[in-house]
Amino acid sequence: LVSSCVYIFNDLLDYAADSAHNKKRLRPLPSGRISKPMAMLILSIMFISACLLLYILRMPINFIYVVLLYALINLIYSMGLKHIPVLELILVSSGFVLRLVGGGEALSIGLSPWIIAATASLSLLITVAKRRSDLVQKSDPEEQRASLIGYNVEFLNSLLSILVSVTIVVYVIFSISDYATERHGQFIIFSSIPVLIGMFRFLQLAIVFERGDFPTELITRDKGMVASILLFVCIFILTTFVDEI
């Protein structure tokens, strides 16, 4: 609910820029399917509902702190920090990490540093891919987000390559760590093969085919990405099962 409030608030502030964007103009708010007053009403209802749920469910205090931090970061992001190149990439990706941490606090699950590092690198990768797509869109330069002035295609391509490398290295180090081998067996290293394939495919889709604007569709609809994810799941489960035998 809080996440939805954040997205609605940001879309209200980005109304003019989204209206000039080739694809974002089709979203409910810039397309006119939902009016600004209606969007504000929906935002208010969701925010009140979130506060009520936090009280009724008696959520852990650390979870509440994470939710407040998430809301604060996104508020200052929407109100100005989104115009600062590079910093805005970090702020957007922090939202994914905070969702993960919040889930861990809500369920009282201790998160390993590996999953936090992997989530951070993957979220940065997705965010940079989206910025690259925004940059190559043929929308009016005057209506594009101000932060794009600090980017060019070569710079973002370099960031994508770096983040793909970081993600692969993080997972490979994880797969040979005592933490992973004790829980999933010594053959867990083989699960890094589909990770490598998936990262290379993502890089190809983002740079060669310029399909980084909708990462969710890219991951769920591209046959290469789906195949690498399914292969990863199968190898991960199989290696764990074989080690237990």
Side-chain angles (χ1 to χ4, degrees):
L1 287 169
V2 173
S3 179
S4 296
C5 290
V6 165
Y7 280 114
I8 295 173
F9 180 72
N10 189 64
D11 281 357
L12 284 168
L13 295 181
D14 283 349
Y15 181 84
D18 288 349
S19 298
H21 195 277
N22 289 340
K23 295 183 178 180
K24 292 181 180 180
R25 62 185 176 83
L26 301 177
R27 291 177 175 178
L29 196 57
S31 68
R33 285 178 291 164
I34 294 182
S35 64
K36 288 185 178 180
M38 178 58 70
M40 294 178 66
L41 176 61
I42 295 173
L43 188 155
S44 301
I45 293 173
M46 287 185 169
F47 179 75
I48 294 172
S49 299
C51 293
L52 288 174
L53 280 174
L54 285 174
Y55 176 76
I56 294 172
L57 298 177
R58 298 285 193 247
M59 299 303 293
I61 187 64
N62 286 342
F63 174 78
I64 297 176
Y65 288 154
V66 172
V67 171
L68 291 175
L69 180 60
Y70 174 85
L72 176 62
I73 289 177
N74 281 277
L75 183 64
I76 60 177
Y77 166 85
S78 297
M79 297 183 69
L81 294 186
K82 64 183 177 182
H83 300 308
I84 303 177
V86 181
L87 175 61
E88 56 99 13
L89 298 175
I90 297 173
L91 292 178
V92 170
S93 63
S94 70
F96 294 92
V97 178
L98 287 174
R99 290 189 188 104
L100 174 69
V101 174
E105 292 296 337
L107 299 174
S108 298
I109 297 174
L111 299 176
S112 74
W114 299 108
I115 193 170
I116 295 176
T119 301
S121 61
L122 281 172
S123 59
L124 268 173
L125 179 64
I126 292 172
T127 305
V128 173
K130 286 177 66 67
R131 287 298 172 270
R132 187 188 185 283
S133 179
D134 289 337
L135 190 64
V136 300
Q137 292 292 331
K138 299 183 182 298
S139 54
D140 185 351
E142 294 183 358
E143 297 293 342
Q144 286 185 335
R145 61 173 66 236
S147 63
L148 291 180
I149 299 175
Y151 302 132
N152 59 32
V153 175
E154 291 75 16
F155 174 66
L156 294 178
N157 285 349
S158 297
L159 288 184
L160 285 174
S161 299
I162 292 171
L163 290 168
V164 164
S165 301
V166 169
T167 303
I168 293 172
V169 169
V170 167
Y171 190 81
V172 171
I173 295 177
F174 156 77
S175 65
I176 61 176
S177 68
D178 293 337
Y179 178 89
T181 55
E182 290 175 0
R183 288 165 175 76
H184 308 290
Q186 58 181 332
F187 298 110
I188 195 65
I189 182 63
F190 291 107
S191 64
S192 62
I193 297 174
V195 171
L196 186 70
I197 296 172
M199 289 296 97
F200 286 171
R201 177 60 177 170
F202 183 89
L203 197 61
Q204 180 189 37
L205 292 171
I207 295 179
V208 179
F209 301 115
E210 297 185 348
R211 291 172 54 189
D213 48 349
F214 294 101
T216 303
E217 293 184 5
L218 182 152
I219 294 173
T220 58
R221 296 186 179 181
D222 178 72
K223 294 181 179 178
M225 290 298 298
V226 172
S228 63
I229 292 172
L230 291 177
L231 181 61
F232 168 79
V233 172
C234 291
I235 293 178
F236 199 94
I237 294 175
L238 183 61
T239 54
T240 303
F241 178 72
V242 168
D243 187 74
E244 289 179 353
I245 294 178

